[in-house]
Amino acid sequence: MALVLCCALFATGTACGGDDDDAAGSSTATPTASASASAQKFAKTRFVANAGLAAGATYQWIVKPWRAGTFKSGADGRRVALVKAGLAGTFAYNRLKAAARNAEGDPLLAKAVAPLTAGIDALKDLPAKLRKGDTSVVGSFEDVVEQMKDAGKSAGAEVTDQVPSTSQLTG
């Protein structure tokens, strides 16, 4: 049963490419003054939510099992843990990208997050590596998430870990 669930989650994990940006960030909508002001008004809130979800997913399904030794060859539940880590990696990458876009709406936050965009972009292929069993990438995820949390804190937008639900991971 667990294997079937994990396979279903794995199959839908790549479908979580959407973002939480509103019409102001959409390429099909015409930006208006009120939409732009609204995006700036809630930039920190949306940044905190997206970065928190990325941090929670990274810790719960990537860092914690890695530290427990679940990713080691022959460990009980290794395959399931690797599939979950791959899904969590895809989700975390998506939420980190969304958080970086959200940060653009606040000048102080944008300045703090700007140096991290290259690090976030470097995470793009890491979820696939996790699914294949390459656990050497765990540190990269952990580092980028911690840097994002530090950047938010320095800009007055403290990020706390929020573990996403299964429906958030697959949706």
Side-chain angles (χ1 to χ4, degrees):
M1 181 70 173
L3 183 58
V4 172
L5 177 62
C6 288
C7 289
L9 290 174
F10 178 75
T12 60
T14 57
C16 66
D19 61 349
D20 286 343
D21 290 346
D22 60 295
S26 174
S27 61
T28 60
T30 305
T32 64
S34 62
S36 177
S38 175
Q40 286 184 339
K41 182 177 180 181
F42 296 110
K44 280 187 179 182
T45 303
R46 292 175 13 187
F47 168 82
V48 168
N50 283 316
L53 286 169
T58 299
Y59 180 75
Q60 183 69 29
W61 290 298
I62 298 174
V63 174
K64 194 173 165 182
W66 176 65
R67 288 183 181 162
T70 309
F71 294 154
K72 291 182 180 175
S73 182
D76 287 340
R78 179 176 187 256
R79 286 186 184 172
V80 172
L82 288 171
V83 170
K84 286 181 182 178
L87 285 171
T90 301
F91 178 83
Y93 169 75
N94 180 278
R95 294 298 87 206
L96 287 170
K97 291 291 281 183
R101 283 190 302 274
N102 298 146
E104 294 171 2
D106 181 81
L108 185 59
L109 195 53
K111 186 177 179 181
V113 173
L116 303 178
T117 55
I120 294 168
D121 289 339
L123 297 177
K124 186 175 184 173
D125 297 328
L126 299 187
K129 289 181 180 180
L130 281 170
R131 280 191 289 269
K132 291 178 184 175
D134 182 1
T135 60
S136 65
V137 300
V138 171
S140 299
F141 264 105
E142 189 175 26
D143 291 344
V144 171
V145 167
E146 288 302 317
Q147 290 171 356
M148 185 68 86
K149 288 169 74 172
D150 291 342
K153 187 175 183 177
S154 72
E158 187 143 359
V159 175
T160 56
D161 292 7
Q162 299 174 18
V163 179
S165 67
T166 305
S167 63
Q168 286 176 307
L169 278 180
T170 60

